[in-house]
Amino acid sequence: MEPVIFAVSLERQSAEWMAPWQRLLSPEKAERLCRMPVEKAGLSLAGELLARYGLGRVFGIPAKDLVFAVAPGGKPYVTKPSGLYFNISHSGTWCVCAVSDVPVGIDIQRMDSVRFDAIAHRYFPPEDRAAYEAADDKKGMFYTLWTKKEALGKCLGVGLRPAPMPDLPMEFRWTTIDGQYRLCVCWETSPQN
């Protein structure tokens, strides 16, 4: 199935808004949040809440019945029930989550000005570098390609390590939020989709 995306913007964060929701977290996750700065903890908590809400909404499972774990590379996943997938990303004030019944990756990036040419040269494979260099809107193309790279790495569970496109059929979709953020979601598709 095509992923369903949930998003929230957290303009102001405080420890008070987080307290009632921490009961849904594992003791380890709650402890980790206590050690983080409030803004980072708020986005991390929002990501888990979006995942629980989204999985419950799409698959009809109560949030308290979902059990999450973290893979050795740091990617969170659903252990119970099996066969459900989610991925979370945050940037600036936005936190987004994609849920599906197939592996999924999502990335959101605030489109700040960075050293586009240097980063593209260092991190983009030749075909993406060529697309970036040929683009009229280099900033827009940079963030389209960067979010694709991140979403794919998150879908495959490899992060930003260089990885060739998998033999699996993959689908990508992009959107822009608030005119300042680029979002990409990718997921495995079957040949009949």
Side-chain angles (χ1 to χ4, degrees):
M1 78 177 248
E2 208 168 289
V4 178
I5 299 171
F6 297 87
V8 65
S9 179
L10 300 173
E11 294 296 326
R12 285 178 288 222
Q13 300 180 46
S14 69
E16 291 78 39
W17 85 263
M18 293 187 288
W21 299 105
Q22 291 189 356
R23 64 182 168 74
L24 290 173
L25 306 176
S26 69
E28 298 80 20
K29 174 86 179 209
E31 183 181 323
R32 258 193 328 270
L33 287 180
C34 289
R35 293 191 308 260
M36 294 179 184
V38 170
E39 294 80 20
K40 187 171 173 111
L43 288 169
S44 182
L45 176 59
E48 179 143 344
L49 294 175
L50 278 177
R52 289 179 179 282
Y53 174 78
L55 289 162
R57 181 88 187 260
V58 172
F59 298 107
I61 300 162
K64 64 179 177 39
D65 293 344
L66 293 162
V67 179
F68 293 169
V70 178
K75 181 179 180 178
Y77 65 98
V78 180
T79 61
K80 179 183 171 194
S82 62
L84 304 180
Y85 299 88
F86 73 95
N87 196 240
I88 299 165
S89 181
H90 40 77
S91 178
T93 62
W94 280 95
C95 181
V96 295
C97 176
V99 300
S100 187
D101 60 355
V102 296
V104 63
I106 192 167
D107 187 54
I108 186 169
Q109 295 289 324
R110 183 173 37 210
M111 294 187 291
D112 293 329
S113 291
V114 296
R115 296 179 51 217
F116 298 118
D117 292 342
I119 295 170
H121 180 73
R122 180 172 181 176
Y123 291 103
F124 289 171
E127 63 275 6
D128 286 354
R129 208 166 33 246
Y132 165 76
E133 290 169 1
D136 290 332
D137 175 12
K138 290 210 183 303
K139 183 177 185 179
M141 180 58 75
F142 175 86
Y143 280 105
T144 294
L145 295 168
W146 187 263
T147 56
K148 175 185 177 184
K149 179 178 186 55
E150 288 236 17
L152 177 61
K154 292 171 77 177
C155 182
L156 299 175
V158 298
L160 282 175
R161 289 185 306 201
M165 275 298 285
D167 288 337
L168 305 165
M170 304 295 287
E171 188 81 29
F172 295 88
R173 294 272 164 40
W174 288 268
T175 193
T176 302
I177 299 176
D178 285 349
Q180 302 177 69
Y181 294 84
R182 191 69 168 148
L183 180 147
C184 178
V185 62
C186 89
W187 66 97
E188 292 182 19
T189 60
S190 59
Q192 66 270 17
N193 286 348

